[in-house]
Amino acid sequence: MDGKVVAVTGASRGTGLAISRTLADAGARVAMLARPSAHLDEAATSIAGAIAVPVDVGQPDEVRSAFHTVSREFGRLDALINNAAIAVPHRIEDTTDEELRLQVDTNFLGPVYCVRSALPLLRESGGTIVNISSESSEDPFPYLLMYASTKGALNIFTKALLSEVRSEGVRVTLLVSGHTRTGTWSERWEPEVRDAALAAWKEGGYTTRVAGTEPQEPEDVAETILFVLTRPPRTMLDVVWCRAAR
């Protein structure tokens, strides 16, 4: 990854932070995209060759500005990792307009906006796009139907994108991630709704597929992305699964 420039969204915490560190350790220069926060500033300061790029990926004008910053600071872009996502547990009749928009804007439109702004740079470098999805798109849980739906939309977008840019030398990979030890979402869930969701998952048998297994670590996802990015130009990985062992 020496000399390569990578943009990582949702980079201030959890998996995004692990991805940024792993790629920087491999020699990449990293543009860390995330909502403005002290976490983002501290994270970027702690990683050699990284810069903080404050952005709400659900806001198209902010995304355009973010990639102008990447181009200005680094002069190129070799990979885009669309990692930013949010899950808000709810029953559909109880969810608010704001909660619906937040998940659609962050989980689906955010990657679309980022791809749109990054493509001119990636076309020049023969770069790679990695969109991070979730195994919940294959097995949707109650209370997380909007999260699963937005990830399902991302799956289709990624496959369609591949057919659109393949002839232009841009590689596209869908990384389907399983249960990962981050804790950043559930820490912000309302306790009453979280408890109701956990009860529904247990009653419906949705938790049995991970019962008795340890979740994977954010670094496991990061290493998988490093593997994808370091394949020779002749090799493209269309879909990659990364999840805890059964």
Side-chain angles (χ1 to χ4, degrees):
M1 296 298 294
D2 286 348
K4 302 292 186 181
V5 175
V6 183
V8 181
T9 70
S12 62
R13 301 171 182 253
T15 302
L17 179 55
I19 293 168
S20 300
R21 283 180 174 152
T22 296
L23 298 182
D25 288 345
R29 294 175 291 168
V30 182
M32 300 176 65
L33 279 62
R35 287 184 173 89
S37 70
H39 288 286
L40 175 61
D41 296 336
E42 292 168 5
T45 301
S46 70
I47 298 175
I51 64 168
V53 183
V55 59
D56 178 348
V57 297
Q59 301 298 320
D61 287 340
E62 291 190 27
V63 171
R64 291 187 185 95
S65 177
F67 282 92
H68 286 154
T69 298
V70 172
S71 180
R72 183 183 69 246
E73 294 295 323
F74 293 119
R76 62 181 294 138
L77 181 65
D78 298 279
L80 165 65
I81 314 301
N82 276 314
N83 163 76
I86 190 166
V88 181
H90 53 71
R91 289 180 59 81
I92 189 61
E93 68 265 33
D94 298 328
T95 189
T96 66
D97 294 346
E98 181 181 2
E99 289 169 339
L100 289 173
R101 282 195 299 268
L102 177 62
Q103 292 176 93
V104 173
D105 288 351
T106 304
N107 302 351
F108 179 59
L109 289 178
V112 173
Y113 295 148
C114 288
V115 166
R116 182 176 64 179
S117 290
L119 262 177
L121 294 169
L122 294 172
R123 194 178 291 114
E124 289 182 7
S125 65
T128 302
I129 297 166
V130 181
N131 291 333
I132 300 182
S133 184
S134 166
E135 65 180 353
S136 69
S137 63
E138 303 285 332
D139 182 19
F141 281 29
Y143 281 83
L144 289 180
L145 73 170
M146 282 307 301
Y147 174 74
S149 296
T150 55
K151 289 299 187 179
L154 182 63
N155 296 355
I156 298 299
F157 171 75
T158 305
K159 293 175 184 179
L161 177 65
L162 172 58
S163 68
E164 185 165 292
V165 302
R166 184 176 207 146
S167 64
E168 300 173 352
V170 177
R171 301 192 296 182
V172 182
T173 295
L174 178 71
L175 190 151
V176 184
S177 179
H179 187 203
T180 306
R181 194 195 310 276
T182 60
T184 54
W185 289 346
S186 57
E187 288 172 358
R188 299 193 292 269
W189 289 354
E190 292 292 336
E192 183 178 347
V193 179
R194 180 194 61 210
D195 293 345
L198 290 172
W201 298 341
K202 183 176 180 179
E203 181 180 355
Y206 292 94
T207 56
T208 57
R209 65 185 174 91
V210 295
T213 67
E214 288 292 317
Q216 63 186 353
E217 299 296 332
E219 290 74 18
D220 299 328
V221 180
E223 289 291 341
T224 302
I225 288 176
L226 177 61
F227 175 79
V228 170
L229 296 183
T230 53
R231 294 312 85 209
R234 65 180 179 272
T235 301
M236 177 159 54
L237 303 174
D238 295 356
V239 181
V240 176
W241 284 76
C242 183
R243 53 185 174 183
R246 299 299 182 203

